[in-house]
Amino acid sequence: MPGDFPPWDRVYAFFRRWRDHGLVRELHDRLRGQVREKLGRDAEPTAGVIDSQSVKADAVVGSDSRGFDGGKLVNGRKRHVVVDTLGLLLAVMVTSADTGDRAAAHTLIGQVAGAHHRLALVWADGGYTGSLVEHCLAAFAMVLTIVKRSDDMRGFVVLPKRWIVERFFAHLMRTRRLVRDLERLTTSAEAMVYWSMILLMTRRLARPRPARA
């Protein structure tokens, strides 16, 4: 801990209390609404993007919440997220890295739909095809649109809408705590993602507005 902070166990007690009582999520969601309104948007989004990110896990992460992602060749955990079209976080769920994207999306999209009733459209990559598309439409009246990469593409190509969530993951990687998963509990790992976005949004809100001509 930094020298001007209280003892680590006292700091962790506050972190745990805020995490377990949902205060971190509440603070994050209020800031997200303010950022959206500052940019001329409604506080509640109508569209979003879903994706996942596999990260290596530290030795403190137990075998009950870690796995091996064969596609990314990562032994650790996976962050499943939904962001709005500004790249602001709507929801995050941390699982073992061997959890399939479609399986996690069934739960995650249900959480997002329950919290954001105006959300009607979500973009996703090819990993979310199949019955999930019909499930979103039937259960939540939500359109899940698959943005696929063409077989003719070579090298790095910016794909419509999917770049938004990739930029979000890049923001997370600028937070040293999130480069690896260092948390014993998945709830703590999710709280750290919310804290990272809280730092990002408070900086944006603190910026002076550009003067109008």
Side-chain angles (χ1 to χ4, degrees):
M1 299 295 297
D4 55 346
F5 272 55
W8 74 266
D9 53 345
R10 190 174 304 173
V11 175
Y12 180 74
F14 278 97
F15 167 79
R16 181 177 55 195
R17 190 181 310 163
W18 282 47
R19 178 199 66 195
D20 294 344
H21 289 81
L23 298 179
V24 178
R25 176 73 180 268
E26 182 179 349
L27 171 61
H28 170 274
D29 290 351
R30 291 189 182 187
L31 289 172
R32 185 190 59 235
Q34 293 181 28
V35 172
R36 288 182 58 86
E37 290 175 344
K38 182 179 180 180
L39 296 174
R41 306 290 188 92
D42 291 333
E44 282 298 320
T46 58
V49 191
I50 186 171
D51 204 352
S52 66
Q53 177 193 45
S54 295
V55 292
K56 294 180 179 179
D58 192 73
V60 299
V61 176
S63 59
D64 58 332
S65 64
R66 71 187 299 156
F68 184 74
D69 183 348
K72 302 292 178 62
L73 301 179
V74 171
N75 186 342
R77 284 178 173 161
K78 186 181 288 188
R79 299 167 184 151
H80 308 268
V81 304
V82 179
V83 301
D84 64 12
T85 53
L86 297 175
L88 302 177
L89 182 63
L90 300 182
V92 58
M93 183 173 69
V94 175
T95 67
S96 59
D98 57 356
T99 302
D101 289 347
R102 285 190 294 269
H106 274 82
T107 302
L108 184 60
I109 289 181
Q111 295 175 1
V112 173
H116 304 280
H117 302 292
R118 296 187 60 196
L119 197 67
L121 174 64
V122 174
W123 288 279
D125 63 23
Y128 296 88
T129 55
S131 61
L132 181 63
V133 177
E134 290 77 15
H135 173 72
C136 290
L137 191 60
F140 311 116
M142 183 185 300
V143 176
L144 184 67
T145 301
I146 307 299
V147 181
K148 293 185 176 181
R149 178 186 174 94
S150 173
D151 295 335
D152 300 331
M153 293 181 179
R154 295 291 183 271
F156 175 76
V157 178
V158 177
L159 297 176
K161 305 304 179 183
R162 282 173 52 180
W163 67 268
I164 298 173
V165 69
E166 296 298 340
R167 183 183 63 180
F168 168 82
F169 289 137
H171 283 312
L172 294 189
M173 290 297 99
R174 298 183 66 182
T175 303
R176 185 175 61 179
R177 182 84 179 191
L178 297 177
V179 174
R180 295 172 66 93
D181 196 315
L182 304 170
E183 316 305 325
R184 293 182 183 273
L185 303 178
T186 56
T187 51
S188 293
E190 293 166 359
M192 286 298 178
V193 174
Y194 283 117
W195 275 118
S196 177
M197 289 305 294
I198 287 171
L199 292 173
L200 176 69
M201 292 187 294
T202 49
R203 292 191 190 105
R204 291 184 179 180
L205 289 171
R207 293 174 186 165
R209 295 188 179 184
R212 294 184 177 180

